Each structure stands twice: as C-alpha cells, then as structure tokens.
Amino acid sequence: MTSMFLFGPNDPADSPDFRAAEAGKNYFAYGVFNTGPCPLPGGKLMFTSNRNGFKPPKRVPHVMQLFVMDDDGSNVECVGHLNLGMALHPTVLKDGRVMLAWTEFYTAVGSDWGEARIAAMYSSDQGKTWKDKTVIQENIGKM
C-alpha cells in the first residue's frame, strides 16, 4: 500500500501562518509556496518552499529553501539554506544522488540579463550535504 501526501501550494504542514502580519515576524501576503516535488529513495520527498519564512538581507523579498520530508508529510527538514539562485528543481540521478541546478550569475550587473551559467551540486545523502559544484552549461548565448 502506498501513502499519499497532498502537495498543495498553501499547505505549510508544520509552519505558522506567514500570511498574517505580526510584529517581529516575517510574513507573506501571498501565502506559502511548496514547489518542485522530487520523490527520493526510501519513502522521502524533496521539495522547495518558502515555508520557513526566511527573507534574505538583500535581493528578492523571499527565498525558496530546499526541504526533505517523509512521504506522509511528517519529519520536514530544511536541507538547503539560503538558495539565492532560487534552486527550484531537485532531480534524482540514476546512481541515486540528488542534483540541484541553478542559474549562477557571475558579474556585478545585478539583473536577469547579467552574464550567467547553469551550475549544479550533488548530494549522496538526500540533501544533508552537498559537494562537487560543477558548471553544467557555460554561457554560450553571451547575454
């Protein structure tokens, strides 16, 4: 028998309501987003979310963080802190490792039109540690 977790856009599961403004707390008027679900071996699910209410000191108003949970929605753990590149799509490779890819801007232009490449890191322990940062696509378009 397989358990099913309903993965909804405003279902923070174990998080406070970030849509209500409270003094000294971060809030999101638009709700909590859980995106990019990726089934992992062993009954786990990796996904990205703003469920922990993290707001970086600079740049965008919110950041999607990387999380892992059991496939029944329990034991949610943040495993990717401060994903400023908005890494949204973890992928399980044939060898069982997880790859997380993102757009990496490498000049001081500071816009979506700045020079960028696609970079990736890999995890062999379901996101607890990441290593082997690699450029998987150089900036061939020269934007």
Side-chain angles (χ1 to χ4, degrees):
M1 174 153 185
T2 310
S3 61
M4 184 174 115
F5 176 70
L6 197 53
F7 200 78
N10 290 307
D11 182 17
D14 63 345
S15 298
D17 186 357
F18 290 114
R19 293 174 288 173
E22 293 182 36
K25 294 186 177 181
N26 291 338
Y27 74 96
F28 303 136
Y30 46 79
V32 174
F33 296 105
N34 298 310
T35 63
C38 175
L40 298 175
K44 298 275 189 179
L45 183 76
M46 184 175 281
F47 63 101
T48 54
S49 178
N50 63 345
R51 69 178 36 231
N52 61 356
F54 179 76
K55 288 188 177 183
K58 296 180 180 180
R59 218 174 150 247
V60 295
H62 71 279
V63 174
M64 301 297 278
Q65 304 281 292
L66 192 62
F67 290 85
V68 171
M69 69 180 178
D70 292 343
D71 65 2
D72 65 358
S74 63
N75 300 313
V76 180
E77 178 184 4
C78 185
V79 296
H81 303 274
L82 194 58
N83 296 325
L84 288 180
M86 296 299 238
L88 297 176
H89 303 286
T91 303
V92 177
L93 303 175
K94 287 181 181 180
D95 64 7
R97 293 179 301 153
V98 178
M99 178 184 76
L100 187 62
W102 65 92
T103 303
E104 180 177 72
F105 293 91
Y106 55 89
T107 63
V109 172
S111 80
D112 287 341
W113 300 106
E115 292 185 33
R117 57 189 162 226
I118 300 173
M121 288 188 80
Y122 304 88
S123 175
S124 298
D125 54 11
Q126 297 190 340
K128 289 183 177 59
T129 60
W130 296 88
K131 60 182 180 177
D132 302 328
K133 182 182 167 201
T134 300
V135 173
I136 58 176
Q137 178 62 63
E138 282 293 349
N139 182 358
I140 59 173
K142 303 299 180 197
M143 289 187 77

